[in-house]
Amino acid sequence: MNVLITAAGIRGYLIKYFREACGDSGKIFAADCSGYSPALYDAEGYFLIPEAGDTNYVNELIKLCEANDIDGVVSLSDIELPILAKHKSRFSEKGIQVIISDPEVIDICYDKYKTFLFLKEKGFSAPKTFVSPEEAIAEIEKGGLEFPVLVKPRKGSASIGIKTVSSVPELHNEFGNRNDAIIQEFILGDEYGIDVFGNSDLRPVAVFAKKKIKMRAGETDKAISIYDEKMMQIASDLANRLGLYGPADIDAFKRDDEYIIMEINPRFGGGYPLSHAIGADFPSKVISLIKREKLEPNYTVYPDNILMMKQYEIVIKKLED
């Protein structure tokens, strides 16, 4: 059994986790649009592929999978997810499983305003979110919102393009410079990352939570494991109502006793290695899905209050290679 990790980037740790999970039963391959992606060189074979926006992206990826007997594909890129979800059946026809949620789920997660509407409809706490300055200003005048507020891309990732604004003129100016943006309530409180995994029945089978201590470019670098049954139940209910399949990452803030859902990322989150360190082992679960094995809920009682920290490592290759 062979697995391909696309958009490998700098996440060599995931390649290593998959190799450990796969053992001698198959190989782990990696792909990226750039040869300067260090994670490529942790795999047992690697490929350069077109960018996700290229018209040949899907065709080339399918050809690559067929030529190398790839059984399953896992993407680490927000940009690739909508495309792969849309063409999931094309891979399936070739006997290749793409471990990804349905297109409707990906769309809700990728579009931050649709995320807000979904959370509101299903009864989950979410930051107040607006698609125009006029709506936000009206809410401020009513006393239901106050400065500062966040202006962020409606479809974005890695915390790119998020700006804190503190006045009406600044809001108009910042929003006017964006083609597709939202205005969101600024939440004060502790920030949490929750890794969840959905099985073939679209039911959550595992939840691991952590309190974020240090972030870098939208990724969690330092965190403390938190075993909080209320938070884990909220994440499990959300994953169930949304119908998440495979690995996903939920970002939340805690304000007083309330957990406020900020984002849902239907892929391996940047803080996943911290959950892996306390027993999550989502790569083994991915391999079980590819093998069409039944995954039952197993909410591991993991250690609480464990500090986990990521660090850099250097990958060296000869330039001619």
Side-chain angles (χ1 to χ4, degrees), residues 1-5 18 22 27-28 69-74 95-100 197-198 200 245-246 282-295:
M1 186 203 63
N2 297 330
V3 180
L4 175 66
I5 312 295
F18 269 92
C22 193
K27 294 182 179 180
I28 306 301
D69 297 320
I70 301 297
D71 300 289
V73 176
V74 178
I96 306 159
Q97 292 194 64
V98 182
I99 305 302
I100 191 171
F197 197 96
S200 56
Y245 175 64
F282 284 7
S284 289
K285 293 177 175 59
V286 168
I287 290 172
S288 291
L289 291 181
I290 295 171
K291 290 180 176 179
R292 303 186 189 280
E293 296 174 347
K294 185 70 172 178
L295 283 175

PDB file of all heavy atoms in Angstrom, residues 1-5 18 22 27-28 69-74 95-100 197-198 200 245-246 282-295:
ATOM      1  N   MET A   1       0.832  -1.189   0.000  1.00  0.00           N
ATOM      2  CA  MET A   1       0.000   0.000   0.000  1.00  0.00           C
ATOM      3  C   MET A   1       0.875   1.250   0.000  1.00  0.00           C
ATOM      4  O   MET A   1       1.745   1.390   0.850  1.00  0.00           O
ATOM      5  CB  MET A   1      -0.905   0.023   1.234  1.00  0.00           C
ATOM      6  CG  MET A   1      -1.903   1.166   1.204  1.00  0.00           C
ATOM      7  SD  MET A   1      -2.485   1.617   2.843  1.00  0.00           S
ATOM      8  CE  MET A   1      -0.964   2.164   3.581  1.00  0.00           C
ATOM      9  N   ASN A   2       0.642   2.147  -0.953  1.00  0.00           N
ATOM     10  CA  ASN A   2       1.441   3.350  -1.088  1.00  0.00           C
ATOM     11  C   ASN A   2       0.581   4.592  -0.861  1.00  0.00           C
ATOM     12  O   ASN A   2      -0.568   4.660  -1.327  1.00  0.00           O
ATOM     13  CB  ASN A   2       2.075   3.420  -2.478  1.00  0.00           C
ATOM     14  CG  ASN A   2       3.041   2.268  -2.719  1.00  0.00           C
ATOM     15  OD1 ASN A   2       3.666   1.765  -1.788  1.00  0.00           O
ATOM     16  ND2 ASN A   2       3.158   1.845  -3.962  1.00  0.00           N
ATOM     17  N   VAL A   3       1.143   5.567  -0.159  1.00  0.00           N
ATOM     18  CA  VAL A   3       0.424   6.803   0.169  1.00  0.00           C
ATOM     19  C   VAL A   3       1.218   7.985  -0.365  1.00  0.00           C
ATOM     20  O   VAL A   3       2.455   8.023  -0.259  1.00  0.00           O
ATOM     21  CB  VAL A   3       0.238   6.945   1.698  1.00  0.00           C
ATOM     22  CG1 VAL A   3      -0.507   8.234   2.030  1.00  0.00           C
ATOM     23  CG2 VAL A   3      -0.506   5.739   2.260  1.00  0.00           C
ATOM     24  N   LEU A   4       0.503   8.964  -0.922  1.00  0.00           N
ATOM     25  CA  LEU A   4       1.126  10.184  -1.430  1.00  0.00           C
ATOM     26  C   LEU A   4       0.665  11.371  -0.595  1.00  0.00           C
ATOM     27  O   LEU A   4      -0.531  11.605  -0.434  1.00  0.00           O
ATOM     28  CB  LEU A   4       0.743  10.409  -2.896  1.00  0.00           C
ATOM     29  CG  LEU A   4       1.230  11.724  -3.523  1.00  0.00           C
ATOM     30  CD1 LEU A   4       2.759  11.748  -3.610  1.00  0.00           C
ATOM     31  CD2 LEU A   4       0.606  11.930  -4.901  1.00  0.00           C
ATOM     32  N   ILE A   5       1.628  12.136  -0.072  1.00  0.00           N
ATOM     33  CA  ILE A   5       1.352  13.370   0.673  1.00  0.00           C
ATOM     34  C   ILE A   5       1.643  14.537  -0.256  1.00  0.00           C
ATOM     35  O   ILE A   5       2.790  14.717  -0.698  1.00  0.00           O
ATOM     36  CB  ILE A   5       2.231  13.488   1.936  1.00  0.00           C
ATOM     37  CG1 ILE A   5       2.214  12.191   2.753  1.00  0.00           C
ATOM     38  CG2 ILE A   5       1.803  14.694   2.769  1.00  0.00           C
ATOM     39  CD1 ILE A   5       0.890  11.838   3.328  1.00  0.00           C
ATOM     40  N   PHE A  18       3.940   9.048   8.868  1.00  0.00           N
ATOM     41  CA  PHE A  18       3.291   8.116   7.946  1.00  0.00           C
ATOM     42  C   PHE A  18       4.187   6.913   7.662  1.00  0.00           C
ATOM     43  O   PHE A  18       3.697   5.784   7.532  1.00  0.00           O
ATOM     44  CB  PHE A  18       2.901   8.822   6.650  1.00  0.00           C
ATOM     45  CG  PHE A  18       1.521   9.405   6.667  1.00  0.00           C
ATOM     46  CD1 PHE A  18       1.318  10.718   7.054  1.00  0.00           C
ATOM     47  CD2 PHE A  18       0.424   8.646   6.316  1.00  0.00           C
ATOM     48  CE1 PHE A  18       0.045  11.267   7.082  1.00  0.00           C
ATOM     49  CE2 PHE A  18      -0.858   9.172   6.337  1.00  0.00           C
ATOM     50  CZ  PHE A  18      -1.055  10.497   6.726  1.00  0.00           C
ATOM     51  N   CYS A  22       3.021   3.162   8.365  1.00  0.00           N
ATOM     52  CA  CYS A  22       2.940   2.222   7.242  1.00  0.00           C
ATOM     53  C   CYS A  22       3.864   1.023   7.437  1.00  0.00           C
ATOM     54  O   CYS A  22       3.552  -0.096   7.030  1.00  0.00           O
ATOM     55  CB  CYS A  22       3.280   2.950   5.940  1.00  0.00           C
ATOM     56  SG  CYS A  22       2.882   2.051   4.448  1.00  0.00           S
ATOM     57  N   LYS A  27       4.888   2.197   0.853  1.00  0.00           N
ATOM     58  CA  LYS A  27       5.811   3.324   0.799  1.00  0.00           C
ATOM     59  C   LYS A  27       5.054   4.640   0.919  1.00  0.00           C
ATOM     60  O   LYS A  27       3.888   4.746   0.531  1.00  0.00           O
ATOM     61  CB  LYS A  27       6.595   3.298  -0.506  1.00  0.00           C
ATOM     62  CG  LYS A  27       7.543   2.111  -0.647  1.00  0.00           C
ATOM     63  CD  LYS A  27       8.327   2.198  -1.954  1.00  0.00           C
ATOM     64  CE  LYS A  27       9.301   1.031  -2.085  1.00  0.00           C
ATOM     65  NZ  LYS A  27      10.069   1.093  -3.357  1.00  0.00           N
ATOM     66  N   ILE A  28       5.760   5.631   1.442  1.00  0.00           N
ATOM     67  CA  ILE A  28       5.207   6.980   1.566  1.00  0.00           C
ATOM     68  C   ILE A  28       5.934   7.886   0.582  1.00  0.00           C
ATOM     69  O   ILE A  28       7.153   8.033   0.630  1.00  0.00           O
ATOM     70  CB  ILE A  28       5.356   7.528   2.999  1.00  0.00           C
ATOM     71  CG1 ILE A  28       4.747   6.554   4.009  1.00  0.00           C
ATOM     72  CG2 ILE A  28       4.714   8.905   3.091  1.00  0.00           C
ATOM     73  CD1 ILE A  28       3.282   6.252   3.800  1.00  0.00           C
ATOM     74  N   ASP A  69       1.444   3.307  -8.374  1.00  0.00           N
ATOM     75  CA  ASP A  69       0.581   2.438  -7.572  1.00  0.00           C
ATOM     76  C   ASP A  69       0.174   3.080  -6.249  1.00  0.00           C
ATOM     77  O   ASP A  69       0.209   2.443  -5.189  1.00  0.00           O
ATOM     78  CB  ASP A  69       1.273   1.096  -7.305  1.00  0.00           C
ATOM     79  CG  ASP A  69       1.554   0.320  -8.584  1.00  0.00           C
ATOM     80  OD1 ASP A  69       0.684   0.327  -9.473  1.00  0.00           O
ATOM     81  OD2 ASP A  69       2.643  -0.264  -8.691  1.00  0.00           O
ATOM     82  N   ILE A  70      -0.213   4.348  -6.323  1.00  0.00           N
ATOM     83  CA  ILE A  70      -0.641   5.068  -5.127  1.00  0.00           C
ATOM     84  C   ILE A  70      -2.067   4.645  -4.760  1.00  0.00           C
ATOM     85  O   ILE A  70      -2.970   4.669  -5.593  1.00  0.00           O
ATOM     86  CB  ILE A  70      -0.598   6.596  -5.353  1.00  0.00           C
ATOM     87  CG1 ILE A  70       0.819   7.062  -5.712  1.00  0.00           C
ATOM     88  CG2 ILE A  70      -1.116   7.333  -4.124  1.00  0.00           C
ATOM     89  CD1 ILE A  70       1.848   6.829  -4.647  1.00  0.00           C
ATOM     90  N   ASP A  71      -2.241   4.256  -3.513  1.00  0.00           N
ATOM     91  CA  ASP A  71      -3.554   3.824  -3.030  1.00  0.00           C
ATOM     92  C   ASP A  71      -4.339   4.948  -2.370  1.00  0.00           C
ATOM     93  O   ASP A  71      -5.573   4.928  -2.368  1.00  0.00           O
ATOM     94  CB  ASP A  71      -3.386   2.687  -2.020  1.00  0.00           C
ATOM     95  CG  ASP A  71      -2.700   1.480  -2.634  1.00  0.00           C
ATOM     96  OD1 ASP A  71      -3.324   0.809  -3.460  1.00  0.00           O
ATOM     97  OD2 ASP A  71      -1.523   1.230  -2.288  1.00  0.00           O
ATOM     98  N   GLY A  72      -3.625   5.906  -1.773  1.00  0.00           N
ATOM     99  CA  GLY A  72      -4.297   6.981  -1.064  1.00  0.00           C
ATOM    100  C   GLY A  72      -3.535   8.289  -1.158  1.00  0.00           C
ATOM    101  O   GLY A  72      -2.299   8.300  -1.226  1.00  0.00           O
ATOM    102  N   VAL A  73      -4.281   9.396  -1.180  1.00  0.00           N
ATOM    103  CA  VAL A  73      -3.690  10.735  -1.284  1.00  0.00           C
ATOM    104  C   VAL A  73      -4.160  11.575  -0.101  1.00  0.00           C
ATOM    105  O   VAL A  73      -5.349  11.576   0.249  1.00  0.00           O
ATOM    106  CB  VAL A  73      -4.097  11.424  -2.604  1.00  0.00           C
ATOM    107  CG1 VAL A  73      -3.553  12.851  -2.654  1.00  0.00           C
ATOM    108  CG2 VAL A  73      -3.612  10.624  -3.805  1.00  0.00           C
ATOM    109  N   VAL A  74      -3.215  12.296   0.507  1.00  0.00           N
ATOM    110  CA  VAL A  74      -3.518  13.215   1.605  1.00  0.00           C
ATOM    111  C   VAL A  74      -2.904  14.567   1.264  1.00  0.00           C
ATOM    112  O   VAL A  74      -1.696  14.652   1.011  1.00  0.00           O
ATOM    113  CB  VAL A  74      -2.939  12.713   2.946  1.00  0.00           C
ATOM    114  CG1 VAL A  74      -3.220  13.721   4.054  1.00  0.00           C
ATOM    115  CG2 VAL A  74      -3.513  11.349   3.305  1.00  0.00           C
ATOM    116  N   GLY A  95      -9.263   3.631  -8.432  1.00  0.00           N
ATOM    117  CA  GLY A  95      -8.894   2.862  -7.250  1.00  0.00           C
ATOM    118  C   GLY A  95      -8.029   3.630  -6.278  1.00  0.00           C
ATOM    119  O   GLY A  95      -7.351   3.030  -5.429  1.00  0.00           O
ATOM    120  N   ILE A  96      -8.040   4.963  -6.375  1.00  0.00           N
ATOM    121  CA  ILE A  96      -7.211   5.827  -5.522  1.00  0.00           C
ATOM    122  C   ILE A  96      -8.127   6.589  -4.566  1.00  0.00           C
ATOM    123  O   ILE A  96      -9.049   7.286  -4.999  1.00  0.00           O
ATOM    124  CB  ILE A  96      -6.398   6.831  -6.365  1.00  0.00           C
ATOM    125  CG1 ILE A  96      -5.575   6.106  -7.430  1.00  0.00           C
ATOM    126  CG2 ILE A  96      -5.514   7.696  -5.464  1.00  0.00           C
ATOM    127  CD1 ILE A  96      -5.157   7.002  -8.576  1.00  0.00           C
ATOM    128  N   GLN A  97      -7.892   6.466  -3.293  1.00  0.00           N
ATOM    129  CA  GLN A  97      -8.705   7.169  -2.310  1.00  0.00           C
ATOM    130  C   GLN A  97      -8.054   8.496  -1.914  1.00  0.00           C
ATOM    131  O   GLN A  97      -6.890   8.518  -1.510  1.00  0.00           O
ATOM    132  CB  GLN A  97      -8.880   6.310  -1.061  1.00  0.00           C
ATOM    133  CG  GLN A  97      -9.710   5.065  -1.263  1.00  0.00           C
ATOM    134  CD  GLN A  97     -10.114   4.474   0.070  1.00  0.00           C
ATOM    135  OE1 GLN A  97     -10.854   5.085   0.841  1.00  0.00           O
ATOM    136  NE2 GLN A  97      -9.599   3.294   0.366  1.00  0.00           N
ATOM    137  N   VAL A  98      -8.803   9.561  -2.061  1.00  0.00           N
ATOM    138  CA  VAL A  98      -8.355  10.855  -1.557  1.00  0.00           C
ATOM    139  C   VAL A  98      -9.022  11.053  -0.198  1.00  0.00           C
ATOM    140  O   VAL A  98     -10.248  11.070  -0.091  1.00  0.00           O
ATOM    141  CB  VAL A  98      -8.734  12.004  -2.508  1.00  0.00           C
ATOM    142  CG1 VAL A  98      -8.204  13.329  -1.962  1.00  0.00           C
ATOM    143  CG2 VAL A  98      -8.177  11.751  -3.904  1.00  0.00           C
ATOM    144  N   ILE A  99      -8.209  11.157   0.847  1.00  0.00           N
ATOM    145  CA  ILE A  99      -8.738  11.281   2.199  1.00  0.00           C
ATOM    146  C   ILE A  99      -9.091  12.749   2.434  1.00  0.00           C
ATOM    147  O   ILE A  99      -8.270  13.562   2.868  1.00  0.00           O
ATOM    148  CB  ILE A  99      -7.731  10.767   3.249  1.00  0.00           C
ATOM    149  CG1 ILE A  99      -7.318   9.336   2.907  1.00  0.00           C
ATOM    150  CG2 ILE A  99      -8.334  10.840   4.653  1.00  0.00           C
ATOM    151  CD1 ILE A  99      -8.455   8.340   2.829  1.00  0.00           C
ATOM    152  N   ILE A 100     -10.339  13.067   2.099  1.00  0.00           N
ATOM    153  CA  ILE A 100     -10.782  14.456   2.147  1.00  0.00           C
ATOM    154  C   ILE A 100     -12.290  14.489   2.339  1.00  0.00           C
ATOM    155  O   ILE A 100     -13.013  13.583   1.897  1.00  0.00           O
ATOM    156  CB  ILE A 100     -10.369  15.187   0.840  1.00  0.00           C
ATOM    157  CG1 ILE A 100     -10.561  16.689   0.961  1.00  0.00           C
ATOM    158  CG2 ILE A 100     -11.151  14.651  -0.356  1.00  0.00           C
ATOM    159  CD1 ILE A 100      -9.959  17.458  -0.206  1.00  0.00           C
ATOM    160  N   PHE A 197     -10.690  13.497  14.228  1.00  0.00           N
ATOM    161  CA  PHE A 197     -10.592  12.561  13.093  1.00  0.00           C
ATOM    162  C   PHE A 197     -11.943  11.927  12.856  1.00  0.00           C
ATOM    163  O   PHE A 197     -12.565  11.392  13.783  1.00  0.00           O
ATOM    164  CB  PHE A 197      -9.542  11.476  13.375  1.00  0.00           C
ATOM    165  CG  PHE A 197      -9.095  10.741  12.146  1.00  0.00           C
ATOM    166  CD1 PHE A 197      -7.942  11.113  11.470  1.00  0.00           C
ATOM    167  CD2 PHE A 197      -9.849   9.672  11.634  1.00  0.00           C
ATOM    168  CE1 PHE A 197      -7.536  10.451  10.325  1.00  0.00           C
ATOM    169  CE2 PHE A 197      -9.458   9.003  10.495  1.00  0.00           C
ATOM    170  CZ  PHE A 197      -8.287   9.390   9.830  1.00  0.00           C
ATOM    171  N   GLY A 198     -12.414  11.997  11.582  1.00  0.00           N
ATOM    172  CA  GLY A 198     -13.697  11.426  11.216  1.00  0.00           C
ATOM    173  C   GLY A 198     -13.539  10.140  10.429  1.00  0.00           C
ATOM    174  O   GLY A 198     -12.653  10.025   9.576  1.00  0.00           O
ATOM    175  N   SER A 200     -15.250   6.652   8.139  1.00  0.00           N
ATOM    176  CA  SER A 200     -15.973   6.535   6.874  1.00  0.00           C
ATOM    177  C   SER A 200     -17.468   6.797   7.021  1.00  0.00           C
ATOM    178  O   SER A 200     -18.154   7.062   6.030  1.00  0.00           O
ATOM    179  CB  SER A 200     -15.744   5.144   6.270  1.00  0.00           C
ATOM    180  OG  SER A 200     -16.123   4.133   7.192  1.00  0.00           O
ATOM    181  N   TYR A 245     -14.374  14.190   7.436  1.00  0.00           N
ATOM    182  CA  TYR A 245     -13.805  12.887   7.085  1.00  0.00           C
ATOM    183  C   TYR A 245     -12.288  12.989   7.113  1.00  0.00           C
ATOM    184  O   TYR A 245     -11.710  13.858   6.471  1.00  0.00           O
ATOM    185  CB  TYR A 245     -14.283  12.484   5.688  1.00  0.00           C
ATOM    186  CG  TYR A 245     -13.680  11.198   5.145  1.00  0.00           C
ATOM    187  CD1 TYR A 245     -13.922   9.979   5.754  1.00  0.00           C
ATOM    188  CD2 TYR A 245     -12.876  11.218   4.009  1.00  0.00           C
ATOM    189  CE1 TYR A 245     -13.390   8.798   5.263  1.00  0.00           C
ATOM    190  CE2 TYR A 245     -12.337  10.044   3.492  1.00  0.00           C
ATOM    191  CZ  TYR A 245     -12.600   8.838   4.120  1.00  0.00           C
ATOM    192  OH  TYR A 245     -12.062   7.666   3.625  1.00  0.00           O
ATOM    193  N   GLY A 246     -11.653  12.113   7.885  1.00  0.00           N
ATOM    194  CA  GLY A 246     -10.205  12.162   8.007  1.00  0.00           C
ATOM    195  C   GLY A 246      -9.776  13.187   9.037  1.00  0.00           C
ATOM    196  O   GLY A 246     -10.539  13.582   9.924  1.00  0.00           O
ATOM    197  N   PHE A 282      -2.871   9.969  14.008  1.00  0.00           N
ATOM    198  CA  PHE A 282      -3.824  10.077  12.910  1.00  0.00           C
ATOM    199  C   PHE A 282      -3.321   9.415  11.620  1.00  0.00           C
ATOM    200  O   PHE A 282      -4.140   8.919  10.835  1.00  0.00           O
ATOM    201  CB  PHE A 282      -4.171  11.539  12.655  1.00  0.00           C
ATOM    202  CG  PHE A 282      -5.125  12.136  13.671  1.00  0.00           C
ATOM    203  CD1 PHE A 282      -5.505  11.421  14.803  1.00  0.00           C
ATOM    204  CD2 PHE A 282      -5.635  13.411  13.499  1.00  0.00           C
ATOM    205  CE1 PHE A 282      -6.370  11.966  15.743  1.00  0.00           C
ATOM    206  CE2 PHE A 282      -6.504  13.962  14.421  1.00  0.00           C
ATOM    207  CZ  PHE A 282      -6.872  13.247  15.551  1.00  0.00           C
ATOM    208  N   PRO A 283      -1.996   9.405  11.339  1.00  0.00           N
ATOM    209  CA  PRO A 283      -1.551   8.699  10.122  1.00  0.00           C
ATOM    210  C   PRO A 283      -1.981   7.230  10.096  1.00  0.00           C
ATOM    211  O   PRO A 283      -2.358   6.716   9.033  1.00  0.00           O
ATOM    212  CB  PRO A 283      -0.029   8.837  10.188  1.00  0.00           C
ATOM    213  CG  PRO A 283       0.180  10.152  10.855  1.00  0.00           C
ATOM    214  CD  PRO A 283      -0.883  10.183  11.927  1.00  0.00           C
ATOM    215  N   SER A 284      -1.939   6.547  11.240  1.00  0.00           N
ATOM    216  CA  SER A 284      -2.402   5.158  11.277  1.00  0.00           C
ATOM    217  C   SER A 284      -3.891   5.081  10.955  1.00  0.00           C
ATOM    218  O   SER A 284      -4.346   4.133  10.284  1.00  0.00           O
ATOM    219  CB  SER A 284      -2.148   4.540  12.654  1.00  0.00           C
ATOM    220  OG  SER A 284      -0.771   4.311  12.861  1.00  0.00           O
ATOM    221  N   LYS A 285      -4.649   6.072  11.390  1.00  0.00           N
ATOM    222  CA  LYS A 285      -6.081   6.101  11.098  1.00  0.00           C
ATOM    223  C   LYS A 285      -6.327   6.367   9.613  1.00  0.00           C
ATOM    224  O   LYS A 285      -7.253   5.796   9.008  1.00  0.00           O
ATOM    225  CB  LYS A 285      -6.772   7.156  11.967  1.00  0.00           C
ATOM    226  CG  LYS A 285      -6.761   6.818  13.460  1.00  0.00           C
ATOM    227  CD  LYS A 285      -7.379   7.924  14.288  1.00  0.00           C
ATOM    228  CE  LYS A 285      -7.479   7.538  15.754  1.00  0.00           C
ATOM    229  NZ  LYS A 285      -6.187   7.206  16.375  1.00  0.00           N
ATOM    230  N   VAL A 286      -5.515   7.229   9.008  1.00  0.00           N
ATOM    231  CA  VAL A 286      -5.623   7.463   7.561  1.00  0.00           C
ATOM    232  C   VAL A 286      -5.384   6.166   6.798  1.00  0.00           C
ATOM    233  O   VAL A 286      -6.128   5.814   5.872  1.00  0.00           O
ATOM    234  CB  VAL A 286      -4.616   8.545   7.100  1.00  0.00           C
ATOM    235  CG1 VAL A 286      -4.522   8.582   5.577  1.00  0.00           C
ATOM    236  CG2 VAL A 286      -5.022   9.915   7.630  1.00  0.00           C
ATOM    237  N   ILE A 287      -4.359   5.441   7.191  1.00  0.00           N
ATOM    238  CA  ILE A 287      -4.042   4.175   6.522  1.00  0.00           C
ATOM    239  C   ILE A 287      -5.179   3.176   6.698  1.00  0.00           C
ATOM    240  O   ILE A 287      -5.517   2.429   5.762  1.00  0.00           O
ATOM    241  CB  ILE A 287      -2.702   3.624   7.044  1.00  0.00           C
ATOM    242  CG1 ILE A 287      -1.560   4.513   6.530  1.00  0.00           C
ATOM    243  CG2 ILE A 287      -2.484   2.180   6.609  1.00  0.00           C
ATOM    244  CD1 ILE A 287      -0.209   4.216   7.121  1.00  0.00           C
ATOM    245  N   SER A 288      -5.826   3.180   7.849  1.00  0.00           N
ATOM    246  CA  SER A 288      -6.985   2.308   8.055  1.00  0.00           C
ATOM    247  C   SER A 288      -8.116   2.679   7.095  1.00  0.00           C
ATOM    248  O   SER A 288      -8.805   1.802   6.556  1.00  0.00           O
ATOM    249  CB  SER A 288      -7.478   2.406   9.502  1.00  0.00           C
ATOM    250  OG  SER A 288      -6.551   1.834  10.397  1.00  0.00           O
ATOM    251  N   LEU A 289      -8.330   3.988   6.869  1.00  0.00           N
ATOM    252  CA  LEU A 289      -9.358   4.404   5.923  1.00  0.00           C
ATOM    253  C   LEU A 289      -9.027   3.935   4.512  1.00  0.00           C
ATOM    254  O   LEU A 289      -9.908   3.477   3.770  1.00  0.00           O
ATOM    255  CB  LEU A 289      -9.506   5.934   5.937  1.00  0.00           C
ATOM    256  CG  LEU A 289     -10.113   6.576   7.190  1.00  0.00           C
ATOM    257  CD1 LEU A 289     -10.203   8.087   7.005  1.00  0.00           C
ATOM    258  CD2 LEU A 289     -11.489   6.008   7.499  1.00  0.00           C
ATOM    259  N   ILE A 290      -7.760   4.057   4.140  1.00  0.00           N
ATOM    260  CA  ILE A 290      -7.347   3.628   2.804  1.00  0.00           C
ATOM    261  C   ILE A 290      -7.551   2.126   2.637  1.00  0.00           C
ATOM    262  O   ILE A 290      -7.953   1.641   1.567  1.00  0.00           O
ATOM    263  CB  ILE A 290      -5.877   4.018   2.542  1.00  0.00           C
ATOM    264  CG1 ILE A 290      -5.732   5.548   2.529  1.00  0.00           C
ATOM    265  CG2 ILE A 290      -5.381   3.446   1.210  1.00  0.00           C
ATOM    266  CD1 ILE A 290      -4.304   6.032   2.493  1.00  0.00           C
ATOM    267  N   LYS A 291      -7.324   1.392   3.706  1.00  0.00           N
ATOM    268  CA  LYS A 291      -7.517  -0.066   3.686  1.00  0.00           C
ATOM    269  C   LYS A 291      -8.985  -0.459   3.833  1.00  0.00           C
ATOM    270  O   LYS A 291      -9.316  -1.642   3.801  1.00  0.00           O
ATOM    271  CB  LYS A 291      -6.709  -0.713   4.814  1.00  0.00           C
ATOM    272  CG  LYS A 291      -5.202  -0.669   4.619  1.00  0.00           C
ATOM    273  CD  LYS A 291      -4.511  -1.348   5.803  1.00  0.00           C
ATOM    274  CE  LYS A 291      -3.008  -1.422   5.604  1.00  0.00           C
ATOM    275  NZ  LYS A 291      -2.330  -2.067   6.777  1.00  0.00           N
ATOM    276  N   ARG A 292      -9.844   0.558   4.024  1.00  0.00           N
ATOM    277  CA  ARG A 292     -11.286   0.355   4.228  1.00  0.00           C
ATOM    278  C   ARG A 292     -11.570  -0.447   5.502  1.00  0.00           C
ATOM    279  O   ARG A 292     -12.519  -1.232   5.559  1.00  0.00           O
ATOM    280  CB  ARG A 292     -11.922  -0.307   3.003  1.00  0.00           C
ATOM    281  CG  ARG A 292     -11.698   0.490   1.726  1.00  0.00           C
ATOM    282  CD  ARG A 292     -12.445  -0.105   0.547  1.00  0.00           C
ATOM    283  NE  ARG A 292     -12.066   0.529  -0.696  1.00  0.00           N
ATOM    284  CZ  ARG A 292     -12.519   1.700  -1.144  1.00  0.00           C
ATOM    285  NH1 ARG A 292     -13.382   2.376  -0.400  1.00  0.00           N
ATOM    286  NH2 ARG A 292     -12.124   2.199  -2.301  1.00  0.00           N
ATOM    287  N   GLU A 293     -10.748  -0.226   6.501  1.00  0.00           N
ATOM    288  CA  GLU A 293     -10.969  -0.850   7.798  1.00  0.00           C
ATOM    289  C   GLU A 293     -11.927   0.003   8.622  1.00  0.00           C
ATOM    290  O   GLU A 293     -11.957   1.227   8.505  1.00  0.00           O
ATOM    291  CB  GLU A 293      -9.643  -1.004   8.546  1.00  0.00           C
ATOM    292  CG  GLU A 293      -8.658  -1.940   7.863  1.00  0.00           C
ATOM    293  CD  GLU A 293      -7.292  -1.965   8.534  1.00  0.00           C
ATOM    294  OE1 GLU A 293      -7.037  -1.069   9.369  1.00  0.00           O
ATOM    295  OE2 GLU A 293      -6.502  -2.864   8.221  1.00  0.00           O
ATOM    296  N   LYS A 294     -12.701  -0.640   9.451  1.00  0.00           N
ATOM    297  CA  LYS A 294     -13.683   0.059  10.278  1.00  0.00           C
ATOM    298  C   LYS A 294     -12.993   0.749  11.449  1.00  0.00           C
ATOM    299  O   LYS A 294     -12.236   0.115  12.197  1.00  0.00           O
ATOM    300  CB  LYS A 294     -14.713  -0.945  10.806  1.00  0.00           C
ATOM    301  CG  LYS A 294     -15.859  -0.311  11.573  1.00  0.00           C
ATOM    302  CD  LYS A 294     -16.779   0.465  10.666  1.00  0.00           C
ATOM    303  CE  LYS A 294     -18.030   0.930  11.394  1.00  0.00           C
ATOM    304  NZ  LYS A 294     -18.934   1.732  10.543  1.00  0.00           N
ATOM    305  N   LEU A 295     -13.239   2.031  11.590  1.00  0.00           N
ATOM    306  CA  LEU A 295     -12.693   2.794  12.719  1.00  0.00           C
ATOM    307  C   LEU A 295     -13.819   3.122  13.682  1.00  0.00           C
ATOM    308  O   LEU A 295     -14.797   3.774  13.312  1.00  0.00           O
ATOM    309  CB  LEU A 295     -12.038   4.091  12.238  1.00  0.00           C
ATOM    310  CG  LEU A 295     -10.647   4.001  11.604  1.00  0.00           C
ATOM    311  CD1 LEU A 295     -10.238   5.365  11.077  1.00  0.00           C
ATOM    312  CD2 LEU A 295      -9.629   3.507  12.613  1.00  0.00           C
TER     313      LEU A 295
END
